[in-house]
Amino acid sequence: SQELEQSPQSLIVQEGKNLTINCTSSKTLYGLYWYKQKYGEGLIFLMMLQKGGEEKSHEKITAKLDEKKQQSSLHITASQPSHAGIYLCGADMNRDDKIIFGKGTRLHILP
Amino acid sequence: DAGVIQSPRHEVTEMGQEVTLRCKPISGHDYLFWYRQTMMRGLELLIYFNNNVPIDDSGMPEDRFSAKMPNASFSTLKIQPSEPRDSAVYFCASSFWDRGGDEQFFGPGTRLTVL
C-alpha cells in the first residue's frame, strides 16, 4: 500500500479558479515537502513544513500541515496556466534522510 | 551554480546492454540521491549517499543495478544487463542538511528507453 496518498490524482480547473490538493500519510510526519514538476522536467522545490499547524505561502500557493491528521494541503488561489504540472508531496516518516514521495497530482489549467 | 547536472538526458539502448547514468551534484552538498520515476510506481528512491558513502540501497531493484560515488562531485548509476522494464526517467538529487531542513535539488533527469 502507498504510504503517502495524494488526492485527487488529476485535476482540471478553469483559469482563475481556486483549487486544493491533499496529501495524507499513513505514518507520523516529521517533515512534509511539496514539489512541482513540469512535464518532462525535474522537480522544483516549493516549500517544506515541519511543525503541526504550520502554514507557508509562496506567491499564490499556500501549504498547511495538520500534524494530528497526518495530512497536508496545497491551495492555489486564482490559478494561472503557469500553475499547470504535476504536484508531488514528499514526507520524512522515519526521521532519517529519506523522503518518500506520493504519486503526484496532475493539474491542468483551462484558459 | 549550474544546479544538479545529469547526463545523458536521453538514452535508448537494447536489452542486455550496459547503461551508465551520470550525475554531478551541487557543489558543497553532502547528500546525493538516485530516484526512478514511472507512471505506474511514481517516484521511487533507489539509493542515497552521505559524504560519498552509500547509506541506504534498499530501493535498488536488483543486482543488475549498482551505484558509485567516487568523489563529492560525481556519481554513477549503472544497469547491467538492462531490461525493457528498466525504462523510466532516472533523477539525481542533492542536498545539504542543516537545521532548517534538507531540501533536495533535482537534476533534469535521464529518460531511459530499453528496447
Side-chain angles (χ1 to χ4, degrees):
Chain A
S1 63
Q2 190 76 10
E3 290 180 299
L4 212 55
E5 294 279 353
Q6 284 189 239
S7 62
Q9 290 184 352
S10 180
L11 191 57
I12 302 173
V13 174
Q14 196 75 39
E15 182 179 352
K17 297 293 185 184
N18 302 337
L19 63 105
T20 300
I21 298 170
N22 293 303
C23 176
T24 303
S25 171
S26 61
K27 297 182 179 180
T28 301
L29 295 170
Y30 295 104
L32 193 289
Y33 303 77
W34 282 101
Y35 283 82
K36 179 186 174 184
Q37 182 179 25
K38 289 196 172 182
Y39 300 107
E41 298 181 11
L43 280 69
I44 299 170
F45 174 78
L46 294 176
M47 55 193 86
M48 182 187 74
L49 305 166
Q50 284 186 302
K51 301 174 185 177
E54 188 173 10
E55 180 175 321
K56 288 187 178 178
S57 293
H58 174 68
E59 297 179 346
K60 293 185 178 179
I61 301 176
T62 300
K64 301 178 186 179
L65 179 61
D66 185 332
E67 202 172 53
K68 290 182 181 178
K69 290 185 180 178
Q70 297 176 175
Q71 184 178 58
S72 178
S73 60
L74 184 85
H75 185 78
I76 298 177
T77 304
S79 59
Q80 300 171 353
S82 60
H83 289 129
I86 303 171
Y87 289 82
L88 293 100
C89 67
D92 173 4
M93 296 179 180
N94 301 304
R95 280 191 174 168
D96 57 15
D97 309 306
K98 293 162 60 171
I99 299 178
I100 306 299
F101 283 91
K103 288 195 173 182
T105 294
R106 294 177 178 272
L107 173 63
H108 303 273
I109 306 294
L110 298 176
Chain B
D1 199 317
V4 176
I5 299 172
Q6 290 187 247
S7 65
R9 292 294 309 277
H10 301 274
E11 176 80 36
V12 180
T13 190
E14 292 186 344
M15 182 175 63
Q17 296 297 307
E18 177 180 296
V19 175
T20 300
L21 311 181
R22 297 173 176 80
C23 175
K24 177 177 168 52
I26 292 173
S27 176
H29 282 190
D30 53 356
Y31 283 88
L32 185 139
F33 305 81
W34 281 102
Y35 291 89
R36 177 173 67 177
Q37 187 178 41
T38 61
M39 288 289 290
M40 288 294 292
R41 301 174 69 91
L43 192 65
E44 302 173 282
L45 176 65
L46 299 177
I47 184 172
Y48 77 94
F49 296 82
N50 178 220
N51 292 320
N52 313 337
V53 176
I55 303 300
D56 186 340
D57 65 354
S58 59
M60 296 285 262
E62 304 170 29
D63 291 344
R64 298 184 296 106
F65 286 69
S66 63
K68 294 182 180 179
M69 191 165 186
N71 56 62
S73 60
F74 183 66
S75 176
T76 59
L77 178 68
K78 186 177 291 186
I79 307 172
Q80 165 65 17
S82 58
E83 296 182 4
R85 60 190 167 127
D86 301 331
S87 297
V89 181
Y90 291 80
F91 288 102
C92 173
S94 69
S95 69
F96 173 73
W97 189 90
D98 62 20
R99 286 187 181 182
D102 51 356
E103 169 196 346
Q104 294 183 18
F105 293 80
F106 282 74
T110 294
R111 183 173 296 276
L112 173 65
T113 302
V114 183
L115 302 174

